[in-house]
Amino acid sequence: MASDRMHPHDWLDGDAGPVVRPYTLTGGRVRPSAGLNLVAYVVATGTEPDAARYLTPEHRRILGVVAVPTSVAEVASRLDLALSVVRIMLGDLIEEGLISVHEPADAGDQPDTATLEAVIHVLRAL
């Protein structure tokens, strides 16, 4: 039957929205311009967006969420968007100077076990 045959674009129905949408949100980009750790905190700089630069509603929603320091993972969760999409959009906002990133301290910046044990020993002695 002709009605049972799939048309070439049958996958573009209402159910395909979430599949197509991330691609459109990122303009087809699949890699963020900035490497962002999941636990890095992002926060709005308070700089007003350039009037000549169009920000999508999602970019504006991100700016609303990061009015206070928020982790990259939390931004994705609050917007209910894929983490990869949020990272790309955060990269856009970083390039525009609208948000700043605060990475967690590296493990190398932490005191070693011997130092921590010595501090505990001194504290116990008090």
Side-chain angles (χ1 to χ4, degrees), residues 30-43:
V30 294
R31 287 192 172 61
S33 59
L36 295 171
N37 190 319
L38 285 175
V39 295
Y41 278 86
V42 291
V43 64

Side-chain angles (χ1 to χ4, degrees), residues 44-49 63 96-98:
T45 60
T47 304
E48 286 296 318
L63 288 174
E96 293 293 321
L98 300 175

Side-chain angles (χ1 to χ4, degrees), residues 12-87:
L12 290 173
D13 63 318
D15 293 334
V19 175
V20 175
R21 189 167 185 251
Y23 177 85
T24 60
L25 287 175
T26 63
R29 295 171 293 153
V30 294
R31 287 192 172 61
S33 59
L36 295 171
N37 190 319
L38 285 175
V39 295
Y41 278 86
V42 291
V43 64
T45 60
T47 304
E48 286 296 318
D50 183 2
R53 170 79 161 91
Y54 172 76
L55 291 180
T56 66
E58 288 77 16
H59 282 111
R60 293 188 184 282
R61 286 179 53 211
I62 289 173
L63 288 174
V65 168
V66 301
V68 296
T70 309
S71 72
V72 171
E74 181 68 18
V75 172
S77 175
R78 288 189 186 180
L79 295 177
D80 195 28
L81 290 173
L83 186 58
S84 58
V85 171
V86 169
R87 282 180 165 162

